[in-house]
Amino acid sequence: MKIETLAVHAGESDDDTYGALTPPIYLSTSFMRDADGGYSRGHIYSRASNPNRDALEQCLASLEGGAAAVAFSSGMGAISAFFETLSPGDHVIAPADAYYGTGVVLREIFARWGLDVGFVDLTDHAAVESAVTPKTKVIWVETPTNPMLRIVDVERIAAIAHAAGAICACDNTFATPVLQRPFELGADLVMHSTTKYLGGHSDLLGGALVVREDGELLESIRKVQIHMGAVPSAFDCWLALRGVKTLPYRMRAHSEGGARVAGWLAAHPAVERVLYPGLADHPAHEVARRQMKLFGGMISFFVRGGREEAMRIASRARLFSRATSLGGVHSLIEHRASIEAPGSRTPENLLRLSIGLEHPDDLIDDLQQAMEERIGTID
Ligand SMILES: *Cc1c(COP(=O)(O)O)cnc(C)c1O
């Protein structure tokens, strides 16, 4: 079935009690045994499993075309759970411009537990090849990256990983399975922050790991989920499953708005440069065209005039909300360097946009008025 159909139906099961069309929320933490002491209905204790979590996991596995998904209480919970499956001395190659939180846990937490991490520009394939060691267990990919919108060739990186006997994991948060299919490109593991596009309404925190195949990797991730316990609540699972139902249509609208706004910004005199994989001048536009169906709703752009001008434009926005995160129905504008600091490498004149579901004309009008006053002040 097509992804629109899967998004509506995957993970659903009939409600035998009342015939409810949408699933009930099982808040119970504990489930009853049968008279003979067994658990024929499948659930014992909600840290180990819960009907709403099962439904979400089945749905996410189905959307990505994987064997199984394992849900967590946040995207960072999912990322941490994956690295907890590794052992001291294992080597990880991670993107030099990984999501800020990924960099923090690898540098400041997992390094202390003996994980050996090399941060590499994954668009430089020779650099990736020479970073591989006999102990390399995983190459962690993120594409498009946050906030530089770099595009990593997943097929190439997966091939390098496999040649080294390692796996390729892909943070697919920005693209979602609607725009990009990491398993079809050779990835072995897909990670999501369901907080973003999958949930889609800025009202839940969640994360997931999806595996391509049944086996040892799934078992060890499941063990970390159940015993380390960073599990999502039944309500957050319910919200995520509800959000996913409209994901394919939302991603089209986010992408349509993204393309419109990016094109408009690229022609604006107050803008130094726009980073959007759908623009022909993006350095990896050809790779993006190959591995993405549409280019999504995330845009970064460099403002002429530095940090002060970037802050000023953000402060004048009315329809765009000044807020972090992404992937919801509201359009957001954010000065990334000031939220990532200290240690951020994001340029001070960069603004990041998450294009929501408002009409692109209204979004462009808002940016126009926010940038207006500057036009006369620059030469
Ligand atoms: C937000 C995000 C994360 C972390 O997810 P949380 O749900 O905030 O913990 C990881 N990767 C990317 C690309 C993100 O945008």
Side-chain angles (χ1 to χ4, degrees):
M1 278 187 278
K2 305 273 198 264
I3 199 160
E4 290 80 358
T5 313
L6 294 175
V8 174
H9 292 285
E12 286 197 328
S13 52
D14 292 338
D15 171 25
D16 293 331
T17 312
Y18 293 114
L21 181 62
T22 62
I25 306 173
Y26 293 92
L27 293 174
S28 187
T29 50
S30 189
F31 296 84
M32 295 207 285
R33 292 189 188 212
D34 307 326
D36 66 1
Y39 278 104
S40 64
R41 287 165 289 191
H43 299 285
I44 301 173
Y45 181 57
S46 276
R47 172 155 51 72
S49 74
N50 168 284
N52 297 103
R53 198 169 91 208
D54 277 9
L56 176 63
E57 289 176 344
Q58 281 166 29
C59 174
L60 296 180
S62 157
L63 291 190
E64 283 290 359
V70 185
F72 294 90
S73 52
S74 68
M76 288 314 305
I79 290 171
S80 302
F82 171 71
F83 290 114
E84 280 162 355
T85 66
L86 301 182
S87 302
D90 284 350
H91 179 245
V92 173
I93 295 176
D97 65 336
Y99 173 72
Y100 184 68
T102 308
V104 170
V105 296
L106 286 173
R107 279 190 191 91
E108 297 176 25
I109 297 173
F110 286 100
R112 283 195 289 113
W113 288 81
L115 207 62
D116 181 16
V117 187
F119 292 92
V120 179
D121 173 1
L122 299 188
T123 64
D124 181 347
H125 301 140
V128 179
E129 267 163 350
S130 59
V132 167
T133 77
K135 296 200 153 174
T136 303
K137 288 289 186 319
V138 58
I139 305 184
W140 184 270
V141 173
E142 197 183 308
T143 183
T145 66
N146 179 15
M148 299 303 286
L149 280 304
R150 289 206 178 87
I151 298 294
V152 176
D153 187 333
V154 180
E155 215 164 358
R156 278 297 295 275
I157 299 296
I160 296 171
H162 296 156
I167 66 165
C168 172
C170 182
D171 181 339
N172 204 25
T173 298
F174 269 36
T176 82
V178 179
L179 305 187
Q180 181 168 276
R181 323 269 319 151
F183 291 139
E184 292 170 15
L185 300 167
D188 307 280
L189 179 89
V190 169
M191 176 265 154
H192 279 287
S193 166
T194 55
T195 313
K196 314 294 171 52
Y197 286 108
L198 297 193
H201 296 75
S202 309
D203 55 9
L204 71 94
L205 274 176
L209 298 173
V210 190
V211 291
R212 193 179 55 201
E213 288 165 14
D214 236 325
E216 238 173 77
L217 178 62
L218 174 61
E219 266 170 48
S220 51
I221 290 170
R222 190 63 84 185
K223 186 181 277 178
V224 170
Q225 177 203 35
I226 293 172
H227 298 287
M228 304 294 267
V231 294
S233 72
F235 185 41
D236 279 347
C237 292
W238 187 92
L239 282 173
L241 190 66
R242 202 262 296 258
V244 159
K245 293 186 190 301
T246 54
L247 179 72
Y249 292 94
R250 284 189 285 108
M251 291 315 292
R252 278 179 219 169
H254 288 301
S255 299
E256 183 192 321
R260 282 280 313 280
V261 173
W264 182 84
L265 282 170
H268 198 285
V271 174
E272 209 171 83
R273 200 168 146 225
V274 181
L275 305 175
Y276 184 70
L279 291 177
D281 74 347
H282 187 286
H285 178 60
E286 285 311 314
V287 181
R289 279 170 48 127
R290 240 189 297 128
Q291 72 183 19
M292 298 178 78
K293 286 200 179 72
L294 296 165
F295 304 105
M298 297 305 297
I299 304 169
S300 289
F301 64 104
F302 298 111
V303 171
R304 283 190 212 285
R307 176 191 170 98
E308 202 183 312
E309 288 302 327
M311 290 299 231
R312 221 176 60 89
I313 291 170
S315 77
R316 287 169 53 91
R318 294 187 197 134
L319 192 53
F320 279 88
S321 303
R322 280 180 303 284
T324 194
S325 197
L326 60 112
V329 297
H330 302 86
S331 287
L332 306 178
I333 187 164
E334 183 175 39
H335 184 253
R336 278 304 291 180
S338 54
I339 192 137
E340 289 179 347
S344 160
R345 304 192 309 166
T346 300
E348 288 285 355
N349 67 335
L350 178 143
L351 288 171
R352 191 188 77 177
L353 303 178
S354 172
I355 301 299
L357 296 182
E358 302 92 340
H359 196 286
D361 289 349
D362 295 326
L363 295 175
I364 288 171
D365 282 351
D366 188 40
L367 290 171
Q368 172 103 50
Q369 68 77 27
M371 291 160 82
E372 214 159 54
E373 225 173 68
R374 296 194 67 258
I375 296 174
T377 67
I378 53 170
D379 32 343

